[in-house]
Amino acid sequence: MSHNTVGPLFSSHYKRRIKPALQDTKDYLQEVQRTNLNTTVKLEFEVEPNPESETRRFKRVYVCFGALKQGFKAGLRDFLGLDGAFMKGPFPGQILTVVGIDSNNGTYPLAHAIVEAETTSSWTWFLQCLGADLDLETNSNFTFMSDGQKGIIPAIAKVFPCAEHRFCIRHIEENMKKKWRGKLYKDLLWKCAAAPTVQEFDVEMEALKKVNPSLYDWLKQIPPHNWTKSHFTGRSHTDVLLNNICEVFNKQLVDGRDKPIMTCLEYIRQYIMKRIANVQQVIDKAEGPLTPTVAKEFEKIKKNALDYSVIWNGEHRYQVSSPSGDQVIVDVKEKTCTCRTWELTGIPCKHVVATIWDMASHGEDVGIPEQWVHQTYWLDTWKQMYKFKLEPINGIKLWVKYTSPITLLPPIHHTQVGRPKKKRKKAIGEVTEAGKKLKRVGKTVTCVKCKKQGHNSRT
């Protein structure tokens, strides 16, 4: 969507400012909470062996704006994507993000955190904070999607054992490429993942088995309810197979991830504030009962429904068929179609649209087909989501000082968990492409920040 992209968030003057001290972070977070009501901020420290100490070392921070909580709940879609991205600046940590889908099928950032590493402990803490903000119980039937990052699978199973956890199909594809490469295997995988019914899924899996039995055995080890539409529930009103909603959001944060903690948090806040304003401008121009993206998609569905004939069974079920041999059962009382598209997305499929037209032709008061689309896609719902705005904050000179005798210390440098080096280590005396030996042989680099040897200030 065009309004997903916003302009530069910081002026050149802002970029030249002196980096804020970590101690100012508490004042900043207090200012954010003061101006944005119902905003949750959780700051966690490393364990201090001396309880009398007046210093605490930073460990994690979690932020969820009150406006985003209200907007997400107004969207009526229990679906969230989870992802993590490396910090590239002086703080060696990770940004954890959770992103929803709005009524126009656009991204809706909900909460974020800066943690020490992407582990089961950090994901568990993040999900517990999120659950408290969204009033989610342990048995909540929520739907999450992730890339299967380190620690996230056991964390979701622990915090929300009843939740539906979908894996991004691109992540599965990347793992598959380690043994089986080529367009043929990719197409076979996607056909299995996109199959909407169990019967179609079984057919596609058998086709894959004939091509490569070892790949079939490998895929069978992944529970189908984690990666194929045929085994998804319809609770979240979306059948997405990719976690690109998080990738889109994280891409917007690239320039903020190499900054100090407080500046990074402010970068995220300004991006979200500007994005909400941009989407509001699109909403103000929109017309009709449905959001623009869904309305365009639904017009294609109605066009495809013209070829179908309908037979009523005398109650609330209909047999819908086409000349090509496609035949399904539509139950207007249960709001289901055996093709499962209506159940998965909340948008009536071509079979349902043909049924609605048939009911109307026989004098039934069924209204227009758009009224049968789930409320999450209505323009009014989209308006409700974005009527909650983030509030601006004052500059650092006007912040109220946080009254606490505790001094906040920066985190200790540590190597990122699972983060590989960008380049391999070359042997001493190894000749480079230019035919010259490597420089600084035998010398040890020293970090200008922590004064320790063995790494520089960036790595």
Side-chain angles (χ1 to χ4, degrees):
M1 296 172 55
S2 59
H3 56 263
N4 279 348
T5 303
V6 299
L9 300 181
F10 296 100
S11 65
S12 57
H13 171 73
Y14 187 93
K15 291 179 180 178
R16 289 195 298 266
R17 283 182 51 192
I18 298 175
K19 293 180 179 178
L22 186 61
Q23 187 63 21
D24 294 330
T25 302
K26 292 189 292 184
D27 301 338
Y28 166 76
L29 296 174
Q30 182 176 251
E31 174 69 10
V32 169
Q33 283 189 300
R34 184 188 68 82
T35 55
N36 291 268
L37 300 179
N38 197 31
T39 293
T40 301
V41 172
K42 294 188 179 181
L43 188 61
E44 190 168 291
F45 311 120
E46 296 284 359
V47 177
E48 174 56 54
N50 179 16
E52 302 298 326
S53 175
E54 294 185 356
T55 62
R56 293 293 186 274
R57 194 169 296 278
F58 176 89
K59 185 179 182 181
R60 304 165 176 165
V61 61
Y62 166 91
V63 180
C64 183
F65 294 99
L68 300 183
K69 297 180 199 177
Q70 294 174 288
F72 177 78
K73 292 177 180 179
L76 307 176
R77 178 146 41 184
D78 295 342
F79 179 88
L80 287 171
L82 302 167
D83 198 11
F86 289 106
M87 293 282 286
K88 299 185 294 182
F91 173 60
Q94 291 247 357
I95 300 179
L96 304 185
T97 56
V98 56
V99 183
I101 304 177
D102 67 18
S103 301
N104 199 42
N105 285 337
T107 60
Y108 192 84
L110 178 58
H112 54 278
I114 297 179
V115 299
E116 70 284 4
E118 201 171 2
T119 63
T120 302
S121 173
S122 61
W123 273 116
T124 300
W125 175 78
F126 183 67
L127 290 171
Q128 288 172 340
C129 294
L130 182 67
D133 279 331
L134 298 182
D135 302 320
L136 300 180
E137 302 293 339
T138 305
N139 60 348
S140 295
N141 294 322
F142 219 78
T143 301
F144 295 99
M145 172 167 274
S146 74
D147 292 342
Q149 299 97 318
K150 193 171 185 179
I152 196 170
I153 297 177
I156 291 179
K158 177 182 178 181
V159 181
F160 303 113
C162 297
E164 180 181 6
H165 186 187
R166 302 180 186 178
F167 298 161
C168 178
I169 192 65
R170 185 177 290 123
H171 175 75
I172 297 177
E173 180 187 333
E174 290 300 318
N175 288 337
M176 181 189 70
K177 286 181 180 179
K178 296 176 182 178
K179 290 186 177 181
W180 304 280
R181 292 177 174 269
K183 186 177 184 301
L184 173 62
Y185 295 138
K186 176 184 176 180
D187 292 343
L188 290 171
L189 172 66
W190 275 87
K191 286 181 179 179
C192 294
T197 65
V198 175
Q199 294 83 355
E200 291 172 283
F201 172 73
D202 291 339
V203 170
E204 297 298 342
M205 284 292 286
E206 285 300 318
L208 184 146
K209 184 178 182 180
K210 292 178 180 178
V211 175
N212 194 318
S214 58
L215 174 56
Y216 172 85
D217 294 335
W218 180 80
L219 272 178
K220 289 289 286 185
Q221 297 177 8
I222 308 174
H225 63 265
N226 292 130
W227 65 280
T228 174
K229 291 183 182 181
S230 60
H231 290 71
F232 290 168
T233 68
R235 297 193 298 256
S236 60
H237 310 301
T238 180
D239 61 350
V240 294
L241 295 170
L242 299 173
N243 195 24
N244 52 1
I245 54 174
C246 287
E247 294 174 4
V248 168
F249 180 55
N250 288 338
K251 185 178 180 181
Q252 301 297 328
L253 308 183
V254 170
D255 292 337
R257 284 159 46 194
D258 62 349
K259 293 176 171 57
I261 294 171
M262 191 184 80
T263 314
C264 179
L265 292 173
E266 174 61 5
Y267 189 97
I268 297 173
R269 188 195 68 83
Q270 287 194 27
Y271 166 74
I272 296 175
M273 185 171 68
K274 293 185 72 173
R275 187 186 182 282
I276 290 176
N278 285 355
V279 175
Q280 185 63 60
Q281 292 179 334
V282 180
I283 292 176
D284 293 341
K285 298 177 183 178
E287 297 177 349
L290 304 179
T291 59
T293 300
V294 178
K296 187 176 180 180
E297 178 185 344
F298 199 54
E299 286 301 317
K300 295 179 181 179
I301 293 174
K302 291 195 291 184
K303 184 177 180 180
N304 293 331
L306 295 172
D307 298 331
Y308 283 80
S309 58
V310 180
I311 301 176
W312 180 38
N313 81 326
E315 293 185 325
H316 49 80
R317 284 178 290 275
Y318 296 79
Q319 178 179 298
V320 185
S321 58
S322 71
S324 62
D326 179 24
Q327 183 169 306
V328 296
I329 300 173
V330 173
D331 190 322
V332 294
K333 182 179 180 180
E334 299 296 329
K335 294 187 176 181
T336 61
C337 175
T338 50
C339 78
R340 296 195 73 238
T341 301
W342 194 14
E343 177 185 346
L344 288 172
T345 64
I347 301 175
C349 59
K350 54 191 175 183
H351 313 110
V352 177
V353 172
T355 302
I356 295 171
W357 285 340
D358 182 78
M359 295 167 66
S361 67
H362 287 83
E364 294 191 49
D365 184 15
V366 294
I368 60 175
E370 283 78 3
Q371 292 177 324
W372 291 70
V373 177
H374 191 273
Q375 191 175 347
T376 189
Y377 300 106
W378 292 1
L379 181 59
D380 288 341
T381 303
W382 200 26
K383 291 179 180 179
Q384 286 296 315
M385 288 189 74
Y386 285 90
K387 78 174 185 179
F388 304 101
K389 308 292 193 295
L390 263 64
E391 297 297 330
I393 66 172
N394 289 314
I396 191 170
K397 293 181 180 179
L398 298 178
W399 294 350
V400 178
K401 292 298 180 182
Y402 188 80
T403 55
S404 172
I406 301 298
T407 300
L408 189 59
L409 300 178
I412 300 175
H413 174 85
H414 64 275
T415 303
Q416 296 276 42
V417 176
R419 185 178 192 182
K421 298 292 183 182
K422 292 183 178 180
K423 296 181 180 179
R424 68 179 180 85
K425 293 182 178 180
K426 296 183 179 180
I428 297 177
E430 182 178 349
V431 178
T432 63
E433 293 180 0
K436 298 179 181 180
K437 290 186 177 180
L438 298 173
K439 298 179 181 181
R440 299 172 61 95
V441 175
K443 294 184 179 181
T444 302
V445 295
T446 303
C447 178
V448 297
K449 289 187 171 65
C450 68
K451 308 303 180 184
K452 293 184 180 180
Q453 294 184 338
H455 64 270
N456 58 27
S457 60
R458 184 165 182 81
T459 60

